[in-house]
Every structure is written in structure tokens, then in C-alpha cells.
């Protein structure tokens, strides 16, 4: 909505972490950035990590800070944390967030569920996934906060109805066929 991004601009402006150097931001969002960008749709959620530098270039701040300011704080997702690694006090975290936010984040993380795996038909404690954050993974949240996000989407708090329509319209592959996916939706 702020016209900071050209969806049809090349990803190579931001990163080389996509299979096709000619892929566009729109194609990455649509999961259509494979070897012949725009020709196929293979879902790969990890591919969204390539969008991290896109967000950073458009906002001028780290992905973590952009997520907190533009979404979490804006719609009152007070029980969500932009990265499990914020449980540790670092200079970067201290510089990016105020004491109240860091205290709130640590309080949420203190209640995080323990991960388990099943070994020999028995549950066993497991390791947490990587604790950092990027555009593909890392947000820690309670069950109520995604409901707040859903309500904000429905109320067009985060984007105008016209932008939401663009995001929700199925992507057209190079063949003209409609993909089963839109721009991240």
C-alpha cells in the first residue's frame, strides 16, 4: 500500500537465494520461482526466506523489527515474539527493542511449549527448531494472536481491499494455467 515494492521487480536486486536469477518478487511469493521462473508451482515454504532482504530493503530495518512494528504492534499481537532467540539479551536486541518489549517477549517465551518427538512409541523431549527469524519461519505466538491477525486481515487493517485482492488472486503460470496458490496465500 505504500508503493515501496514492485512485485514484478527481479529478486536478484535483493538476493541470489532463488533457483532462477530472473525470478521476480511476485514469482517467489507465488512459489513459482524454480529453474524456469513462472512455469511451475512446487510449494516450498523455506523459499520465503529469500523474501527477508526484500522486506529489509523496503522498510529500512531488520525483518524482525519490521514484523514487530508493521504487524505485531500495529494489531495488538502482544503475545507474539519475533524470534525465539530474543530470550537471550543481545546488543542487537537491546538496540532494536525497548525494555518493555523485551520484557514482554521474554515472558511469552518463558511459557513456550516444550517440543517432543516419538521414539520407540514413547514421547521424548526434543530440540527446538532454529531460534532465529526470517520471512519463512521463526515467529513464536500464542493461539489468540493468530486470531487477532485473522481479524485484522478481514478488517483490512494491514492492507487495502485492492491490495488484498492482488495477494489473494491465484498466480497465473507461464502456460496460462492458474496455480493453486496466490501471493503467499
Amino acid at each position: 500500500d505504500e508503493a515501496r515494492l514492485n512485485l514484478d521487480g527481479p529478486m536478484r536486486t535483493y538476493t541470489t537465494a532463488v533457483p532462477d536469477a530472473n525470478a521476480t518478487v511476485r514469482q517467489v511469493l507465488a512459489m513459482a520461482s524454480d529453474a524456469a521462473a513462472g512455469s511451475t508451482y512446487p510449494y516450498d515454504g523455506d523459499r520465503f526466506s529469500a523474501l527477508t532482504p526484500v522486506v529489509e530493503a523496503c522498510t529500512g530495518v531488520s525483518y524482525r523489527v519490521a514484523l514487530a512494528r508493521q504487524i505485531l504492534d500495529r494489531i495488538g499481537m502482544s503475545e507474539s515474539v519475533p524470534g525465539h532467540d530474543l530470550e537471550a539479551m543481545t546488543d542487537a536486541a537491546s538496540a532494536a527493542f525497548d525494555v518493555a518489549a523485551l520484557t514482554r517477549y521474554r515472558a511469552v517465551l518463558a511459557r513456550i511449549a516444550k517440543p517432543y518427538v516419538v521414539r520407540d512409541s514413547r514421547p521424548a523431549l526434543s530440540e527446538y527448531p532454529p531460534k532465529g527469524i526470517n520471512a519463512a519461519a521463526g515467529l513464536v505466538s500464542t493461539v489468540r494472536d493468530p486470531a487477532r491477525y485473522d481479524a485484522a486481515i478481514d478488517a483490512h487493517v494491514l492492507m487495502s481491499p485492492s491490495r488484498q485482492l492482488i495477494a489473494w488472486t491465484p498466480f497465473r503460470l507461464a502456460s496460462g494455467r492458474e496455480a493453486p496458490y496466490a501471493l503467499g496465500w
Side-chain angles (χ1 to χ4, degrees):
D1 279 349
E2 296 173 4
R4 295 185 194 183
L5 175 66
N6 174 2
L7 290 173
D8 296 311
M11 280 296 295
R12 69 177 171 268
T13 303
Y14 309 100
T15 184
T16 58
V18 291
D20 183 344
N22 295 315
T24 66
V25 174
R26 183 184 307 270
Q27 289 166 334
V28 173
L29 280 166
M31 297 288 167
S33 61
D34 266 2
S39 62
T40 62
Y41 163 81
Y43 183 85
D44 179 1
D46 288 340
R47 183 138 336 132
F48 279 150
S49 64
L51 295 167
T52 304
V54 175
V55 171
E56 293 173 343
C58 290
T59 63
V61 296
S62 71
Y63 177 80
R64 177 190 318 267
V65 170
L67 174 63
R69 288 180 187 167
Q70 297 291 320
I71 298 176
L72 305 181
D73 295 346
R74 189 169 167 192
I75 61 175
M77 292 178 66
S78 60
E79 295 200 351
S80 294
V81 181
H84 191 168
D85 58 336
L86 285 177
E87 69 188 348
M89 180 60 80
T90 64
D91 291 339
S94 296
F97 299 103
D98 62 27
V99 172
L102 291 171
T103 301
R104 187 177 77 243
Y105 294 157
R106 282 200 275 310
V108 171
L109 291 170
R111 301 186 329 258
I112 196 167
K114 303 252 186 265
Y116 286 85
V117 295
V118 176
R119 290 190 186 115
D120 298 324
S121 301
R122 303 195 87 113
L125 275 174
S126 180
E127 295 292 320
Y128 286 106
K131 293 185 175 187
I133 190 163
N134 61 49
L139 177 67
V140 176
S141 195
T142 64
V143 71
R144 286 184 186 95
D145 273 1
R148 286 182 183 94
Y149 178 80
D150 184 55
I153 292 293
D154 290 346
H156 304 288
V157 172
L158 297 173
M159 68 179 93
S160 68
S162 62
R163 294 286 182 206
Q164 188 169 311
L165 180 62
I166 292 168
W168 288 8
T169 299
F171 181 78
R172 288 249 174 238
L173 297 169
S175 66
R177 192 172 45 95
E178 196 173 84
Y181 201 70
L183 304 184
W185 299 89

